[in-house]
Amino acid sequence: MNIVTLLPFIVLIGAMFLMTRSAKKKQQAAAQMRNEMQAGTGVRTIGGMYATVKEVHDETVLLEVAPGVHAIYAKNAIGAVIADEEYNRILDGADPLHADEPVVPDDASSLTAGAATGKGDKIDLGKAETPAAEPAGDKPAAEAEDTKAAGDAKDSVKADADTAKDDKKSGDDEAK
């Protein structure tokens, strides 16, 4: 047989060897971590529950999941042994590393204007503010100006439409 035909098989076997070797190292590290577990340390189970180790046996661990509440878990169910500082930070809910960052609320109730401003006002959606109250004598003049402006705008649109019609007609006449 030629070496070129055997090369893909050799590469495949080498890749499988490397993958199983790294997986075996991870398993050994996890087993060592579980064997070095001591009473009083904080752990996270593979299910994501945080607890304190009370007793360590050959195949099982007694965990205190809440004050006065104990549960027996298999050693294989321990996902990570957590350092004391990290465990206390998780239990207390304090995060000194990110204390200056804004806290994202669990619900949207604090995102409303009433909660954000401390008032019960509605959120302004970009509508223009109404001008301050004007004297009664000036109000009809202002309304007349608004009406005149609206009328001018309509006239302008109508004139543009008429011009477009005329252009279309003259274009049709030129084509004939």
Side-chain angles (χ1 to χ4, degrees):
M1 290 188 100
N2 193 353
I3 189 83
V4 176
T5 57
L6 292 177
L7 189 61
F9 293 113
I10 294 171
V11 170
L12 183 62
I13 291 171
M16 289 174 48
F17 173 74
L18 291 175
M19 285 190 290
T20 57
R21 184 175 166 205
S22 66
K24 191 177 283 190
K25 281 186 178 182
K26 287 181 184 178
Q27 287 177 348
Q28 287 175 349
Q32 182 181 1
M33 177 257 323
R34 290 182 188 113
N35 289 332
E36 293 176 358
M37 215 175 356
Q38 298 175 0
T41 59
V43 295
R44 184 184 68 236
T45 65
I46 58 174
M49 182 180 64
Y50 293 92
T52 304
V53 176
K54 288 297 174 181
E55 295 177 9
V56 179
H57 301 285
D58 291 337
E59 296 295 320
T60 60
V61 179
L62 179 66
L63 300 179
E64 184 176 32
V65 295
V69 179
H70 296 88
I72 297 175
Y73 278 80
K75 270 190 176 178
N76 290 338
I78 305 301
V81 176
I82 303 171
D84 289 337
E85 289 178 8
E86 181 73 8
Y87 184 69
N88 291 333
R89 184 191 63 79
I90 291 168
L91 289 183
D92 295 339
D95 193 358
L97 299 177
H98 305 291
D100 57 339
E101 294 178 7
V103 177
V104 178
D106 290 339
D107 60 355
S109 64
S110 64
L111 299 177
T112 61
T117 61
K119 301 176 186 175
D121 300 337
K122 295 193 182 223
I123 298 174
D124 180 23
L125 298 175
K127 295 181 180 178
E129 292 286 326
T130 56
E134 297 177 8
D138 292 343
K139 197 165 192 173
E143 288 178 4
E145 288 178 15
D146 290 342
T147 306
K148 182 179 177 184
D152 290 345
K154 287 181 184 177
D155 291 341
S156 169
V157 170
K158 186 174 181 184
D160 290 342
D162 290 340
T163 304
K165 284 183 186 178
D166 292 340
D167 289 344
K168 188 173 183 181
K169 285 182 183 179
S170 66
D172 290 340
D173 292 341
E174 291 174 9
K176 290 181 182 179

